[in-house]
Amino acid sequence: MSQKYILALDQGTSSSRAAIVDEKGKIVSISQEEFPQIYPQSGWVEHDPSEILASQLRTLKSVIEKAAIATSQIAAIGITNQRETTVIWDKNTGKPIYNAIVWQDKRTASICESLKEKGLENHVKQTTGLVIDAYFSATKTHWILENIPNAREEAVKGNLLFGTIDSWILWNLTDRKIHATDVSNASRTMLFDIKNLCWDETLLTVLDIPKSLLPEVKPSSYHFGDFELEGVKIPITGIAGDQQAALFGQGCFDSGDAKNTYGTGCFLLMNTGTKLQFSKSGLLTTIAWGIDNKIYYALEGSVFVAGAAIQWLRDGLQIINSAEETEHFAREVEEENSVIVVPAFAGLGAPYWDMYAKGAIFGLTRDTGKNHLIKATLESLAYQTKDVLIAMQQDATIPLKSLKVDGGASANNFLMQFQADILNTIVERPKNSESTVMGAAYLAGICVGIWHQDEILSQREIDRKFTPNFTDEKRERLYKKWLKAIERTKNWEL
């Protein structure tokens, strides 16, 4: 019974997960449960916050049972979450006043345009590190207050609370006592001053968001509160947005270290250390984490649709039964693929930031089959990553020696090899691809003395390195075709 464990909660866009991690940094057990996606109309994406919470609690309990450990052996809980997704709830009843508006949701594009017309783009960039986009929490919060009956009146009275998903889970786990978030999640709201580490009064005023709605902002490795389970109080000591957690879990602790996570979206982050570095190339400046009384920053490029494109092949087109099949079908296309898929289902993210782009398929011929579409969809993940990486290298003024990868699609050897080929960079995949989970676990564990930060790198093991094989001519030719396709998807819906 002397062995201690960390319970990591990973609340994602399509599923809630929980993992038990031992003191050696090994995952003992994982539990996962998908929950419904809600699409009320075109461009709108929602989740039921109560279902998110219920599914997360079910995975929490099942993962402890799977691990066959006592509750008293859990030293701490770490939380990582889908970012930007917005929940507003009644603090007296505990019930959400509307569904969670998901980060992919585009309903607030017109609000973003009005902010741009007011000349706020530079203020937003210099204060929050972000660009004005429907992606972030600020305009989603404004929309709920404007469109839900009595919401603004109740908010002014101090009866409502806003939170990203971490805050919603934390508030419920702490028996509705703690309304807080960490610096990494706060930095994704488009309301937080990442230099002065406070909520920005100008943006709150412009969007008419009462300050009483907002959570307290704490470091990422911090004792937020306690979750009581079976009479045992377990401290919640780590919170970070999923991409920042993955950066930490990959051991990207030094300035210039970078990783790419292939999840529902595709996210490439580079640690810039304690230096706040603004992008000239359409990337975001974000807080990586807060630990040991220091704030670490990162440059980030966001690709909105990655794994979601694979889900589209499965659920929308119904040409695959599972994501795992895509590697086999892609390899069936032996010739160079003439088809390009641009999966701009939610507009284009960095470095283009085009809310009005739409998805498209180019290069169709009479002999195009499902294998060509599958291969082209996989390749689109690698092309979008290259777009971001080029911009990141321009900002950081240093070339990457390698790219650390994680997330579901990193298990696809075809995709990882194509990624190395199109980047002309070594792609490094760890044995434990659960970097997001590990980041949450490590942040929580460091706070309670399970690990020191320097131990984490020694625990990390490499599964495989993918080395580029393409000629420069082939790489350039293929990428030019991709850029041509991108140009034709832009500003589709004006």
Side-chain angles (χ1 to χ4, degrees), residues 257-303:
D257 286 352
K259 70 90 202 171
N260 195 18
T261 295
Y262 302 80
T264 303
C266 203
F267 299 90
L268 197 146
L269 274 74
M270 176 185 283
N271 186 335
T272 60
T274 54
K275 180 186 176 187
L276 197 160
Q277 186 168 327
F278 290 106
S279 171
K280 297 174 183 175
S281 313
L283 301 182
L284 306 177
T285 301
T286 197
I287 293 178
W289 49 74
I291 193 170
D292 294 334
N293 297 314
K294 289 182 181 177
I295 297 294
Y296 291 84
Y297 295 93
L299 282 171
E300 174 175 333
S302 306
V303 173

mmCIF file of all heavy atoms in Angstrom, residues 257-303:
data_model
loop_
_atom_site.group_PDB
_atom_site.id
_atom_site.type_symbol
_atom_site.label_atom_id
_atom_site.label_comp_id
_atom_site.label_asym_id
_atom_site.label_seq_id
_atom_site.Cartn_x
_atom_site.Cartn_y
_atom_site.Cartn_z
ATOM 1 N N ASP A 257 12.109 23.791 -27.864
ATOM 2 C CA ASP A 257 11.531 22.443 -27.939
ATOM 3 C C ASP A 257 10.112 22.526 -28.501
ATOM 4 O O ASP A 257 9.344 23.417 -28.133
ATOM 5 C CB ASP A 257 11.465 21.801 -26.545
ATOM 6 C CG ASP A 257 12.822 21.345 -26.039
ATOM 7 O OD1 ASP A 257 13.775 21.383 -26.834
ATOM 8 O OD2 ASP A 257 12.919 20.959 -24.863
ATOM 9 N N ALA A 258 9.760 21.592 -29.385
ATOM 10 C CA ALA A 258 8.439 21.633 -30.021
ATOM 11 C C ALA A 258 7.808 20.257 -30.100
ATOM 12 O O ALA A 258 8.496 19.241 -30.136
ATOM 13 C CB ALA A 258 8.551 22.229 -31.424
ATOM 14 N N LYS A 259 6.474 20.253 -30.131
ATOM 15 C CA LYS A 259 5.726 19.001 -30.278
ATOM 16 C C LYS A 259 4.484 19.245 -31.124
ATOM 17 O O LYS A 259 3.990 20.369 -31.248
ATOM 18 C CB LYS A 259 5.336 18.452 -28.906
ATOM 19 C CG LYS A 259 4.275 19.269 -28.164
ATOM 20 C CD LYS A 259 2.847 18.833 -28.458
ATOM 21 C CE LYS A 259 1.876 19.944 -28.153
ATOM 22 N NZ LYS A 259 0.518 19.643 -28.613
ATOM 23 N N ASN A 260 3.983 18.172 -31.708
ATOM 24 C CA ASN A 260 2.722 18.228 -32.450
ATOM 25 C C ASN A 260 1.800 17.153 -31.915
ATOM 26 O O ASN A 260 2.187 15.981 -31.812
ATOM 27 C CB ASN A 260 2.956 18.008 -33.948
ATOM 28 C CG ASN A 260 1.753 18.426 -34.778
ATOM 29 O OD1 ASN A 260 0.898 19.162 -34.316
ATOM 30 N ND2 ASN A 260 1.696 17.955 -36.014
ATOM 31 N N THR A 261 0.595 17.529 -31.565
ATOM 32 C CA THR A 261 -0.410 16.579 -31.092
ATOM 33 C C THR A 261 -1.479 16.403 -32.161
ATOM 34 O O THR A 261 -2.088 17.377 -32.603
ATOM 35 C CB THR A 261 -1.062 17.081 -29.778
ATOM 36 O OG1 THR A 261 -0.063 17.116 -28.765
ATOM 37 C CG2 THR A 261 -2.178 16.143 -29.343
ATOM 38 N N TYR A 262 -1.691 15.164 -32.555
ATOM 39 C CA TYR A 262 -2.700 14.833 -33.560
ATOM 40 C C TYR A 262 -3.952 14.334 -32.834
ATOM 41 O O TYR A 262 -4.070 13.152 -32.522
ATOM 42 C CB TYR A 262 -2.184 13.753 -34.510
ATOM 43 C CG TYR A 262 -0.913 14.127 -35.235
ATOM 44 C CD1 TYR A 262 0.324 14.013 -34.612
ATOM 45 C CD2 TYR A 262 -0.956 14.591 -36.546
ATOM 46 C CE1 TYR A 262 1.499 14.353 -35.276
ATOM 47 C CE2 TYR A 262 0.216 14.933 -37.220
ATOM 48 C CZ TYR A 262 1.434 14.813 -36.576
ATOM 49 O OH TYR A 262 2.592 15.154 -37.229
ATOM 50 N N GLY A 263 -4.847 15.259 -32.526
ATOM 51 C CA GLY A 263 -6.101 14.891 -31.886
ATOM 52 C C GLY A 263 -7.239 15.247 -32.820
ATOM 53 O O GLY A 263 -7.121 15.144 -34.039
ATOM 54 N N THR A 264 -8.361 15.691 -32.266
ATOM 55 C CA THR A 264 -9.473 16.175 -33.089
ATOM 56 C C THR A 264 -8.972 17.303 -33.975
ATOM 57 O O THR A 264 -9.267 17.369 -35.161
ATOM 58 C CB THR A 264 -10.616 16.675 -32.185
ATOM 59 O OG1 THR A 264 -11.007 15.612 -31.320
ATOM 60 C CG2 THR A 264 -11.806 17.111 -33.012
ATOM 61 N N GLY A 265 -8.189 18.186 -33.374
ATOM 62 C CA GLY A 265 -7.448 19.190 -34.118
ATOM 63 C C GLY A 265 -5.985 18.793 -34.108
ATOM 64 O O GLY A 265 -5.610 17.753 -33.560
ATOM 65 N N CYS A 266 -5.164 19.616 -34.725
ATOM 66 C CA CYS A 266 -3.736 19.330 -34.777
ATOM 67 C C CYS A 266 -3.019 20.564 -34.237
ATOM 68 O O CYS A 266 -3.270 21.674 -34.710
ATOM 69 C CB CYS A 266 -3.346 19.093 -36.232
ATOM 70 S SG CYS A 266 -1.875 18.137 -36.485
ATOM 71 N N PHE A 267 -2.183 20.359 -33.226
ATOM 72 C CA PHE A 267 -1.622 21.512 -32.533
ATOM 73 C C PHE A 267 -0.112 21.388 -32.373
ATOM 74 O O PHE A 267 0.378 20.419 -31.804
ATOM 75 C CB PHE A 267 -2.278 21.661 -31.160
ATOM 76 C CG PHE A 267 -3.758 21.879 -31.248
ATOM 77 C CD1 PHE A 267 -4.629 20.803 -31.241
ATOM 78 C CD2 PHE A 267 -4.277 23.152 -31.365
ATOM 79 C CE1 PHE A 267 -6.003 21.002 -31.350
ATOM 80 C CE2 PHE A 267 -5.643 23.360 -31.460
ATOM 81 C CZ PHE A 267 -6.504 22.279 -31.457
ATOM 82 N N LEU A 268 0.578 22.395 -32.891
ATOM 83 C CA LEU A 268 2.026 22.431 -32.796
ATOM 84 C C LEU A 268 2.423 23.563 -31.874
ATOM 85 O O LEU A 268 2.031 24.712 -32.083
ATOM 86 C CB LEU A 268 2.634 22.621 -34.190
ATOM 87 C CG LEU A 268 4.110 22.269 -34.316
ATOM 88 C CD1 LEU A 268 4.398 21.695 -35.693
ATOM 89 C CD2 LEU A 268 4.998 23.473 -34.066
ATOM 90 N N LEU A 269 3.166 23.223 -30.819
ATOM 91 C CA LEU A 269 3.611 24.218 -29.850
ATOM 92 C C LEU A 269 5.122 24.197 -29.728
ATOM 93 O O LEU A 269 5.742 23.132 -29.771
ATOM 94 C CB LEU A 269 3.016 23.950 -28.462
ATOM 95 C CG LEU A 269 1.635 24.539 -28.166
ATOM 96 C CD1 LEU A 269 0.548 23.768 -28.882
ATOM 97 C CD2 LEU A 269 1.368 24.544 -26.660
ATOM 98 N N MET A 270 5.684 25.394 -29.576
ATOM 99 C CA MET A 270 7.115 25.534 -29.305
ATOM 100 C C MET A 270 7.299 26.326 -28.015
ATOM 101 O O MET A 270 6.757 27.426 -27.864
ATOM 102 C CB MET A 270 7.822 26.256 -30.448
ATOM 103 C CG MET A 270 9.304 26.520 -30.159
ATOM 104 S SD MET A 270 10.098 27.506 -31.446
ATOM 105 C CE MET A 270 10.325 26.272 -32.711
ATOM 106 N N ASN A 271 8.043 25.760 -27.083
ATOM 107 C CA ASN A 271 8.357 26.434 -25.834
ATOM 108 C C ASN A 271 9.296 27.611 -26.123
ATOM 109 O O ASN A 271 10.323 27.438 -26.771
ATOM 110 C CB ASN A 271 9.024 25.435 -24.879
ATOM 111 C CG ASN A 271 9.270 25.988 -23.495
ATOM 112 O OD1 ASN A 271 9.383 27.190 -23.301
ATOM 113 N ND2 ASN A 271 9.376 25.093 -22.514
ATOM 114 N N THR A 272 8.941 28.810 -25.651
ATOM 115 C CA THR A 272 9.830 29.968 -25.800
ATOM 116 C C THR A 272 10.381 30.409 -24.437
ATOM 117 O O THR A 272 10.895 31.511 -24.291
ATOM 118 C CB THR A 272 9.120 31.154 -26.488
ATOM 119 O OG1 THR A 272 7.986 31.555 -25.707
ATOM 120 C CG2 THR A 272 8.662 30.776 -27.885
ATOM 121 N N GLY A 273 10.260 29.532 -23.446
ATOM 122 C CA GLY A 273 10.804 29.816 -22.127
ATOM 123 C C GLY A 273 10.013 30.893 -21.403
ATOM 124 O O GLY A 273 8.806 31.053 -21.611
ATOM 125 N N THR A 274 10.675 31.663 -20.574
ATOM 126 C CA THR A 274 10.001 32.715 -19.820
ATOM 127 C C THR A 274 9.864 33.994 -20.653
ATOM 128 O O THR A 274 9.371 35.009 -20.165
ATOM 129 C CB THR A 274 10.769 33.036 -18.514
ATOM 130 O OG1 THR A 274 12.123 33.341 -18.841
ATOM 131 C CG2 THR A 274 10.739 31.851 -17.561
ATOM 132 N N LYS A 275 10.273 33.900 -21.917
ATOM 133 C CA LYS A 275 10.196 35.049 -22.818
ATOM 134 C C LYS A 275 8.876 35.031 -23.582
ATOM 135 O O LYS A 275 8.547 34.037 -24.234
ATOM 136 C CB LYS A 275 11.372 35.019 -23.802
ATOM 137 C CG LYS A 275 11.391 36.177 -24.787
ATOM 138 C CD LYS A 275 12.505 36.002 -25.809
ATOM 139 C CE LYS A 275 12.478 37.098 -26.857
ATOM 140 N NZ LYS A 275 13.444 36.847 -27.936
ATOM 141 N N LEU A 276 8.168 36.118 -23.505
ATOM 142 C CA LEU A 276 6.912 36.277 -24.242
ATOM 143 C C LEU A 276 7.269 36.744 -25.653
ATOM 144 O O LEU A 276 7.779 37.842 -25.840
ATOM 145 C CB LEU A 276 6.040 37.298 -23.518
ATOM 146 C CG LEU A 276 4.563 37.363 -23.852
ATOM 147 C CD1 LEU A 276 3.817 38.064 -22.711
ATOM 148 C CD2 LEU A 276 4.323 38.107 -25.140
ATOM 149 N N GLN A 277 7.033 35.893 -26.643
ATOM 150 C CA GLN A 277 7.439 36.191 -28.017
ATOM 151 C C GLN A 277 6.219 36.252 -28.920
ATOM 152 O O GLN A 277 5.486 35.285 -29.064
ATOM 153 C CB GLN A 277 8.397 35.107 -28.517
ATOM 154 C CG GLN A 277 8.985 35.408 -29.881
ATOM 155 C CD GLN A 277 10.141 34.470 -30.210
ATOM 156 O OE1 GLN A 277 10.880 34.042 -29.335
ATOM 157 N NE2 GLN A 277 10.298 34.158 -31.484
ATOM 158 N N PHE A 278 5.999 37.424 -29.534
ATOM 159 C CA PHE A 278 4.852 37.577 -30.419
ATOM 160 C C PHE A 278 5.212 37.128 -31.830
ATOM 161 O O PHE A 278 6.350 37.229 -32.263
ATOM 162 C CB PHE A 278 4.365 39.028 -30.428
ATOM 163 C CG PHE A 278 3.717 39.439 -29.131
ATOM 164 C CD1 PHE A 278 4.386 40.271 -28.254
ATOM 165 C CD2 PHE A 278 2.464 38.970 -28.785
ATOM 166 C CE1 PHE A 278 3.805 40.641 -27.052
ATOM 167 C CE2 PHE A 278 1.871 39.334 -27.584
ATOM 168 C CZ PHE A 278 2.547 40.164 -26.720
ATOM 169 N N SER A 279 4.200 36.644 -32.533
ATOM 170 C CA SER A 279 4.407 36.090 -33.867
ATOM 171 C C SER A 279 4.163 37.124 -34.953
ATOM 172 O O SER A 279 3.255 37.946 -34.849
ATOM 173 C CB SER A 279 3.458 34.905 -34.078
ATOM 174 O OG SER A 279 3.490 34.468 -35.414
ATOM 175 N N LYS A 280 4.975 37.032 -36.003
ATOM 176 C CA LYS A 280 4.756 37.856 -37.196
ATOM 177 C C LYS A 280 4.110 37.019 -38.301
ATOM 178 O O LYS A 280 3.904 37.496 -39.400
ATOM 179 C CB LYS A 280 6.094 38.418 -37.696
ATOM 180 C CG LYS A 280 6.783 39.342 -36.697
ATOM 181 C CD LYS A 280 8.167 39.745 -37.199
ATOM 182 C CE LYS A 280 8.889 40.610 -36.173
ATOM 183 N NZ LYS A 280 10.280 40.909 -36.591
ATOM 184 N N SER A 281 3.821 35.769 -37.989
ATOM 185 C CA SER A 281 3.398 34.822 -39.031
ATOM 186 C C SER A 281 2.029 34.199 -38.769
ATOM 187 O O SER A 281 1.731 33.127 -39.262
ATOM 188 C CB SER A 281 4.431 33.705 -39.145
ATOM 189 O OG SER A 281 5.733 34.219 -39.183
ATOM 190 N N GLY A 282 1.219 34.869 -37.958
ATOM 191 C CA GLY A 282 -0.128 34.356 -37.728
ATOM 192 C C GLY A 282 -0.227 33.286 -36.664
ATOM 193 O O GLY A 282 -1.262 32.640 -36.533
ATOM 194 N N LEU A 283 0.842 33.077 -35.892
ATOM 195 C CA LEU A 283 0.771 32.110 -34.800
ATOM 196 C C LEU A 283 0.287 32.795 -33.530
ATOM 197 O O LEU A 283 0.276 34.023 -33.431
ATOM 198 C CB LEU A 283 2.146 31.491 -34.541
ATOM 199 C CG LEU A 283 2.802 30.755 -35.707
ATOM 200 C CD1 LEU A 283 4.124 30.160 -35.255
ATOM 201 C CD2 LEU A 283 1.891 29.677 -36.247
ATOM 202 N N LEU A 284 -0.090 31.994 -32.562
ATOM 203 C CA LEU A 284 -0.553 32.518 -31.286
ATOM 204 C C LEU A 284 0.585 32.507 -30.276
ATOM 205 O O LEU A 284 1.439 31.616 -30.295
ATOM 206 C CB LEU A 284 -1.699 31.658 -30.752
ATOM 207 C CG LEU A 284 -2.878 31.447 -31.698
ATOM 208 C CD1 LEU A 284 -3.894 30.522 -31.060
ATOM 209 C CD2 LEU A 284 -3.509 32.774 -32.090
ATOM 210 N N THR A 285 0.567 33.487 -29.394
ATOM 211 C CA THR A 285 1.445 33.467 -28.230
ATOM 212 C C THR A 285 0.571 33.056 -27.061
ATOM 213 O O THR A 285 -0.500 33.635 -26.848
ATOM 214 C CB THR A 285 2.062 34.851 -27.969
ATOM 215 O OG1 THR A 285 2.804 35.237 -29.130
ATOM 216 C CG2 THR A 285 2.981 34.821 -26.768
ATOM 217 N N THR A 286 0.994 32.050 -26.335
ATOM 218 C CA THR A 286 0.136 31.511 -25.291
ATOM 219 C C THR A 286 0.977 31.174 -24.062
ATOM 220 O O THR A 286 2.199 31.076 -24.150
ATOM 221 C CB THR A 286 -0.614 30.267 -25.818
ATOM 222 O OG1 THR A 286 -1.710 29.965 -24.977
ATOM 223 C CG2 THR A 286 0.290 29.054 -25.939
ATOM 224 N N ILE A 287 0.326 31.054 -22.914
ATOM 225 C CA ILE A 287 1.037 30.607 -21.719
ATOM 226 C C ILE A 287 1.133 29.088 -21.769
ATOM 227 O O ILE A 287 0.125 28.403 -21.961
ATOM 228 C CB ILE A 287 0.332 31.083 -20.440
ATOM 229 C CG1 ILE A 287 0.419 32.615 -20.335
ATOM 230 C CG2 ILE A 287 0.960 30.428 -19.202
ATOM 231 C CD1 ILE A 287 -0.288 33.208 -19.131
ATOM 232 N N ALA A 288 2.349 28.580 -21.630
ATOM 233 C CA ALA A 288 2.544 27.130 -21.640
ATOM 234 C C ALA A 288 2.126 26.535 -20.296
ATOM 235 O O ALA A 288 1.356 25.583 -20.230
ATOM 236 C CB ALA A 288 3.996 26.791 -21.948
ATOM 237 N N TRP A 289 2.654 27.097 -19.215
ATOM 238 C CA TRP A 289 2.279 26.663 -17.864
ATOM 239 C C TRP A 289 2.870 27.621 -16.839
ATOM 240 O O TRP A 289 3.763 28.411 -17.139
ATOM 241 C CB TRP A 289 2.765 25.235 -17.577
ATOM 242 C CG TRP A 289 4.208 24.986 -17.907
ATOM 243 C CD1 TRP A 289 5.322 25.426 -17.217
ATOM 244 C CD2 TRP A 289 4.713 24.286 -19.052
ATOM 245 N NE1 TRP A 289 6.472 25.024 -17.857
ATOM 246 C CE2 TRP A 289 6.138 24.316 -18.991
ATOM 247 C CE3 TRP A 289 4.118 23.597 -20.114
ATOM 248 C CZ2 TRP A 289 6.947 23.713 -19.935
ATOM 249 C CZ3 TRP A 289 4.915 23.002 -21.076
ATOM 250 C CH2 TRP A 289 6.314 23.065 -20.983
ATOM 251 N N GLY A 290 2.344 27.522 -15.646
ATOM 252 C CA GLY A 290 2.898 28.247 -14.512
ATOM 253 C C GLY A 290 3.349 27.234 -13.477
ATOM 254 O O GLY A 290 2.570 26.359 -13.079
ATOM 255 N N ILE A 291 4.615 27.318 -13.089
ATOM 256 C CA ILE A 291 5.167 26.359 -12.125
ATOM 257 C C ILE A 291 6.342 27.022 -11.392
ATOM 258 O O ILE A 291 7.078 27.819 -11.998
ATOM 259 C CB ILE A 291 5.607 25.060 -12.849
ATOM 260 C CG1 ILE A 291 5.872 23.937 -11.854
ATOM 261 C CG2 ILE A 291 6.786 25.291 -13.766
ATOM 262 C CD1 ILE A 291 6.062 22.560 -12.514
ATOM 263 N N ASP A 292 6.490 26.712 -10.126
ATOM 264 C CA ASP A 292 7.599 27.256 -9.320
ATOM 265 C C ASP A 292 7.702 28.777 -9.411
ATOM 266 O O ASP A 292 8.790 29.346 -9.585
ATOM 267 C CB ASP A 292 8.936 26.623 -9.757
ATOM 268 C CG ASP A 292 8.982 25.129 -9.452
ATOM 269 O OD1 ASP A 292 8.282 24.699 -8.516
ATOM 270 O OD2 ASP A 292 9.714 24.402 -10.158
ATOM 271 N N ASN A 293 6.553 29.430 -9.339
ATOM 272 C CA ASN A 293 6.488 30.899 -9.369
ATOM 273 C C ASN A 293 7.025 31.516 -10.657
ATOM 274 O O ASN A 293 7.429 32.676 -10.683
ATOM 275 C CB ASN A 293 7.243 31.504 -8.171
ATOM 276 C CG ASN A 293 6.632 31.101 -6.848
ATOM 277 O OD1 ASN A 293 5.413 31.167 -6.687
ATOM 278 N ND2 ASN A 293 7.462 30.647 -5.919
ATOM 279 N N LYS A 294 7.051 30.730 -11.736
ATOM 280 C CA LYS A 294 7.467 31.243 -13.042
ATOM 281 C C LYS A 294 6.386 30.933 -14.085
ATOM 282 O O LYS A 294 5.698 29.923 -13.992
ATOM 283 C CB LYS A 294 8.784 30.612 -13.493
ATOM 284 C CG LYS A 294 10.003 31.070 -12.705
ATOM 285 C CD LYS A 294 11.268 30.416 -13.254
ATOM 286 C CE LYS A 294 12.500 30.840 -12.465
ATOM 287 N NZ LYS A 294 13.709 30.134 -12.962
ATOM 288 N N ILE A 295 6.302 31.820 -15.065
ATOM 289 C CA ILE A 295 5.384 31.611 -16.188
ATOM 290 C C ILE A 295 6.221 31.296 -17.427
ATOM 291 O O ILE A 295 7.178 32.013 -17.743
ATOM 292 C CB ILE A 295 4.531 32.871 -16.460
ATOM 293 C CG1 ILE A 295 3.639 33.184 -15.251
ATOM 294 C CG2 ILE A 295 3.680 32.677 -17.712
ATOM 295 C CD1 ILE A 295 2.574 32.158 -14.953
ATOM 296 N N TYR A 296 5.865 30.208 -18.098
ATOM 297 C CA TYR A 296 6.542 29.811 -19.337
ATOM 298 C C TYR A 296 5.568 30.017 -20.504
ATOM 299 O O TYR A 296 4.375 29.729 -20.384
ATOM 300 C CB TYR A 296 6.988 28.345 -19.263
ATOM 301 C CG TYR A 296 8.098 28.139 -18.265
ATOM 302 C CD1 TYR A 296 7.811 27.965 -16.910
ATOM 303 C CD2 TYR A 296 9.433 28.136 -18.657
ATOM 304 C CE1 TYR A 296 8.825 27.803 -15.970
ATOM 305 C CE2 TYR A 296 10.455 27.966 -17.731
ATOM 306 C CZ TYR A 296 10.141 27.798 -16.387
ATOM 307 O OH TYR A 296 11.151 27.638 -15.468
ATOM 308 N N TYR A 297 6.119 30.509 -21.609
ATOM 309 C CA TYR A 297 5.302 30.835 -22.771
ATOM 310 C C TYR A 297 5.576 29.883 -23.929
ATOM 311 O O TYR A 297 6.579 29.161 -23.936
ATOM 312 C CB TYR A 297 5.568 32.274 -23.207
ATOM 313 C CG TYR A 297 5.143 33.317 -22.194
ATOM 314 C CD1 TYR A 297 6.047 33.803 -21.250
ATOM 315 C CD2 TYR A 297 3.839 33.796 -22.175
ATOM 316 C CE1 TYR A 297 5.663 34.753 -20.310
ATOM 317 C CE2 TYR A 297 3.445 34.751 -21.239
ATOM 318 C CZ TYR A 297 4.355 35.217 -20.306
ATOM 319 O OH TYR A 297 3.963 36.148 -19.374
ATOM 320 N N ALA A 298 4.675 29.915 -24.905
ATOM 321 C CA ALA A 298 4.851 29.087 -26.104
ATOM 322 C C ALA A 298 4.268 29.790 -27.312
ATOM 323 O O ALA A 298 3.359 30.618 -27.193
ATOM 324 C CB ALA A 298 4.178 27.730 -25.913
ATOM 325 N N LEU A 299 4.815 29.459 -28.473
ATOM 326 C CA LEU A 299 4.180 29.811 -29.744
ATOM 327 C C LEU A 299 3.325 28.622 -30.151
ATOM 328 O O LEU A 299 3.735 27.467 -29.977
ATOM 329 C CB LEU A 299 5.223 30.081 -30.826
ATOM 330 C CG LEU A 299 5.933 31.430 -30.794
ATOM 331 C CD1 LEU A 299 7.073 31.435 -31.803
ATOM 332 C CD2 LEU A 299 4.952 32.562 -31.102
ATOM 333 N N GLU A 300 2.151 28.895 -30.694
ATOM 334 C CA GLU A 300 1.258 27.795 -31.069
ATOM 335 C C GLU A 300 0.623 28.025 -32.420
ATOM 336 O O GLU A 300 0.197 29.132 -32.746
ATOM 337 C CB GLU A 300 0.140 27.642 -30.028
ATOM 338 C CG GLU A 300 -0.907 26.622 -30.436
ATOM 339 C CD GLU A 300 -1.949 26.363 -29.366
ATOM 340 O OE1 GLU A 300 -1.660 26.538 -28.179
ATOM 341 O OE2 GLU A 300 -3.061 25.978 -29.741
ATOM 342 N N GLY A 301 0.572 26.969 -33.190
ATOM 343 C CA GLY A 301 -0.184 26.969 -34.429
ATOM 344 C C GLY A 301 -1.294 25.951 -34.316
ATOM 345 O O GLY A 301 -1.054 24.806 -33.927
ATOM 346 N N SER A 302 -2.501 26.360 -34.626
ATOM 347 C CA SER A 302 -3.668 25.491 -34.451
ATOM 348 C C SER A 302 -4.253 25.088 -35.801
ATOM 349 O O SER A 302 -4.600 25.943 -36.604
ATOM 350 C CB SER A 302 -4.749 26.214 -33.650
ATOM 351 O OG SER A 302 -4.225 26.703 -32.440
ATOM 352 N N VAL A 303 -4.317 23.796 -36.026
ATOM 353 C CA VAL A 303 -5.024 23.249 -37.183
ATOM 354 C C VAL A 303 -6.348 22.728 -36.647
ATOM 355 O O VAL A 303 -6.381 21.861 -35.785
ATOM 356 C CB VAL A 303 -4.216 22.104 -37.835
ATOM 357 C CG1 VAL A 303 -5.024 21.439 -38.930
ATOM 358 C CG2 VAL A 303 -2.899 22.631 -38.387
#
